[in-house]
Amino acid sequence: MKKINLLAVTVLFAIATKAQQFKFKPLDVSQADFAYFPERSVKESVGDKATPLIKIVYSRPSAKGRKVFGSLQPFGKVWRIGANESTEIRFFKNVILGGKEIPAGTYTLFAIPEKEKWEMILNQQTDTWGPYGYDESKDVIRFSVQPKQLAEYVETLSIVFTPQTSGANLVIGWENTYVEVPIIISN
């Protein structure tokens, strides 16, 4: 009787184990990344009580020898600033962006690149895939920034924050172009 019970338990365990088989997706070619301001805020120990003021989540496509702006990303078209899901930015405090006070919260960041200027778009709608679900009626603000030439080629889209006296500049760089978006942290 004990052998039958042991056999039954073994068979049930094998069936349960087989039922849990699944496949993980392969590594995405445009991996997700994060940028924080201040940069070290999430790396500090809990006792330091360091909290981020801004967090951005984006996917990092690579140029792979292709011309990016004006070709892969056509001028005059809404761009998600990356790949895959649209780039999201979270403000932990109220900020001033493009001359307008923006309440703390999470937003989607888009751009319309042009040769002489980029129109930056902060949008209320989150959890969208690329520009496909973009809804202009949900724009919080639009403002322009000047694209500049990078001194060195950047193969993979990169985003960093550079500290400023009253906040930070969000710097977006790819290929041979970058833009700086001034963000003032409200007190």
Side-chain angles (χ1 to χ4, degrees), residues 4-107:
I4 292 175
N5 286 341
L6 180 60
L7 180 61
V9 168
T10 304
V11 168
L12 287 174
F13 180 74
I15 291 170
T17 303
K18 181 73 172 163
Q20 293 178 6
Q21 296 299 316
F22 50 85
K23 290 185 179 183
F24 288 107
K25 289 173 43 178
L27 189 61
D28 195 298
V29 294
S30 298
Q31 295 182 23
D33 202 356
F34 304 84
Y36 288 92
F37 177 76
E39 183 181 358
R40 299 238 354 117
S41 61
V42 294
K43 297 176 185 173
E44 301 295 328
S45 66
V46 174
D48 293 338
K49 297 182 183 174
T51 56
L53 298 172
I54 308 169
K55 173 185 175 182
I56 193 160
V57 180
Y58 68 108
S59 289
R60 302 184 65 188
S62 295
K64 298 179 185 173
R66 302 171 290 183
K67 172 141 181 59
V68 175
F69 298 108
S71 183
L72 181 63
Q73 173 53 49
F75 289 133
K77 300 281 186 187
V78 174
W79 178 46
R80 62 185 134 196
I81 307 178
N84 303 331
E85 287 190 36
S86 300
T87 294
E88 290 187 0
I89 189 164
R90 179 175 177 195
F91 302 116
F92 291 82
K93 290 186 171 186
N94 294 352
V95 300
I96 298 172
L97 185 65
K100 180 179 179 180
E101 177 123 9
I102 307 295
T106 303
Y107 302 88

